[in-house]
Amino acid sequence: MSLVSPTLRGVAAMIAAMLLFITNDMMLKLATQHMPVGEVLGARSLVATLFVLGLLAATGELRHALAAFKPKVIARSSLDSATTFLYVIALAVLPISTTTTIYMAAPLITTALAVPLLGEKVGLKRAIAIAIGFSGAVIVAHPDPATFSLFAILPLIAATCGSLRDIVTRGIGANVPGGVVVLSSTVALGVTGAGFALWEPWSVPTLAGSALVVGTGATFALGNLLLVYAFRHAPVQVVSPLRYVMVPVALIYGYFIFGHVPDSWATIGTILVVGAGLYSIQQEAARGRKAERDAKALKAAEADQILPVMPPLPSPIPAAAGSAVAARLSPPANDDAPRAAPKGGKGGAPQPAAITRECPHS
């Protein structure tokens, strides 16, 4: 791996993270067939918490665990719990490809929410991409009253919560390790799942259900680890579009494991959501590159103003007199040769010695 560039390692880590996340979703959907949703999420969070604690202990970041109780970290964890909880409920009743595709509108929602919450500007092209992406999500949700399910709204609400979570994440300082943020999310989700489980009938986990829960905890923890690695070793504009790797894999899982075949409307909606999302990410990357170029140009301009240009040194000989002096002075053929007697007899005024070097300012 040392011979591979950091960007390629980041790309590989991002693809692996997306494969782990969609595999996690697939196992969650299977686990909800054996156990109630609250019980599944609570048990998975417990397993994920143990994985994350082991990771923090191995990396020496366990001493920062108290940072999980900072207000912004708690706010992010609450939004993450709502995102996961709503998504898993939808996953339990909807096809995995439908749930995944609708949730993929999250980057578009983040762009839209950044206008009122962060004061960012969205151009006409990006606004059109957002509208197209939302249209695709609506098409995938099947708004036909005869086939529409209220559960189809849940992935869209989950995507909105996820977008708010990502915006809040920007305000968390770099001094808080990523593992601590993940630990806070797993604990908050565990508390949410346990609270919801109080309203559900508990069931004794089967061997298959227990194995699925352990698998979801492991894939969730490893996926987050690889996700952090990807964004630390590769440019954001390179790895962000790879989120959509989940969509075709979700279609494969849906067909081979759950026997679901998307109809033509779902296919069209999927194309619109993925296309609009990729375009929005590309526009965001172009904006970032332009801002970076402008910042470098501004820095260079400021440096030019700070370093003044030195004016040329004034000549010790005036320009008008320089030519006259130069005309009267001529270098001797030999510095050691005796000098000629001055003209005008013995009483004449002595003439100045010849200049042997060129004057730099003449």
Side-chain angles (χ1 to χ4, degrees), residues 45 48-50 52-53 56 64-82 84 165 172 176-192 220 224:
S45 298
T49 299
L50 294 176
V52 175
L53 284 173
L56 292 176
H64 301 292
L66 291 179
F69 296 99
K70 290 187 175 182
K72 289 184 178 180
V73 178
I74 293 176
R76 190 231 180 239
S77 301
S78 301
L79 289 167
D80 188 61
S81 297
T84 305
R165 173 202 62 200
I172 298 177
V176 181
V180 173
V181 177
V182 175
L183 175 65
S184 177
S185 295
T186 57
V187 172
L189 182 59
V191 173
T192 303
F220 175 78
N224 276 284

Side-chain angles (χ1 to χ4, degrees), residues 13 16-18 20-21 217-229:
M18 295 303 104
L20 286 170
F21 284 146
T219 53
F220 175 78
L222 291 175
N224 276 284
L225 175 62
L226 289 171
L227 187 68
V228 172
Y229 182 92

Side-chain angles (χ1 to χ4, degrees), residues 35-312:
M35 302 159 56
V37 173
E39 189 175 348
V40 168
L41 288 179
R44 188 199 78 161
S45 298
L46 177 61
V47 175
T49 299
L50 294 176
F51 270 96
V52 175
L53 284 173
L55 173 65
L56 292 176
T59 56
E61 295 179 341
L62 193 58
R63 64 183 184 276
H64 301 292
L66 291 179
F69 296 99
K70 290 187 175 182
K72 289 184 178 180
V73 178
I74 293 176
R76 190 231 180 239
S77 301
S78 301
L79 289 167
D80 188 61
S81 297
T83 301
T84 305
F85 193 72
L86 294 170
Y87 182 81
V88 173
I89 292 177
L91 195 64
V93 296
L94 296 175
I96 186 174
S97 58
T98 300
T99 308
T100 303
T101 301
I102 296 176
Y103 184 79
M104 284 295 105
L108 301 172
I109 298 175
T110 302
T111 303
L113 291 177
V115 177
L117 297 181
L118 299 178
E120 295 185 2
K121 295 182 179 180
V122 175
L124 179 61
K125 292 181 180 179
R126 297 176 72 196
I128 293 174
I130 293 172
I132 292 174
F134 279 134
S135 301
V138 170
I139 292 174
V140 174
H142 287 203
D144 186 355
T147 59
F148 178 71
S149 172
L150 289 175
F151 287 103
I153 301 177
L154 294 182
L156 201 56
I157 301 176
T160 303
C161 292
S163 299
L164 291 171
R165 173 202 62 200
D166 294 341
I167 291 174
V168 171
T169 303
R170 298 185 187 184
I172 298 177
N175 59 324
V176 181
V180 173
V181 177
V182 175
L183 175 65
S184 177
S185 295
T186 57
V187 172
L189 182 59
V191 173
T192 303
F196 188 78
L198 296 176
W199 303 93
E200 294 178 325
W202 280 70
S203 62
V204 178
T206 62
L207 182 60
S210 300
L212 288 169
V213 168
V214 172
T216 57
T219 53
F220 175 78
L222 291 175
N224 276 284
L225 175 62
L226 289 171
L227 187 68
V228 172
Y229 182 92
F231 278 98
R232 285 181 176 177
H233 289 79
V236 175
Q237 62 267 25
V238 173
V239 296
S240 287
L242 297 174
R243 295 179 185 272
Y244 291 93
V245 169
M246 295 176 66
V247 175
V249 180
L251 292 171
I252 295 172
Y253 280 158
Y255 178 76
F256 287 102
I257 297 178
F258 302 102
H260 175 256
V261 180
D263 57 19
S264 57
W265 286 106
T267 303
I268 294 173
T270 300
I271 293 173
L272 292 177
V273 171
V274 174
L278 291 174
Y279 179 79
S280 180
I281 292 174
Q282 185 271 334
Q283 288 293 308
E284 182 67 25
R287 246 185 56 175
R289 289 192 296 268
K290 183 178 183 300
E292 186 177 353
R293 289 195 301 268
D294 292 344
K296 289 182 179 179
L298 180 62
K299 188 175 180 180
E302 291 176 349
D304 290 340
Q305 292 178 359
I306 294 174
L307 298 176
V309 179
M310 294 296 293

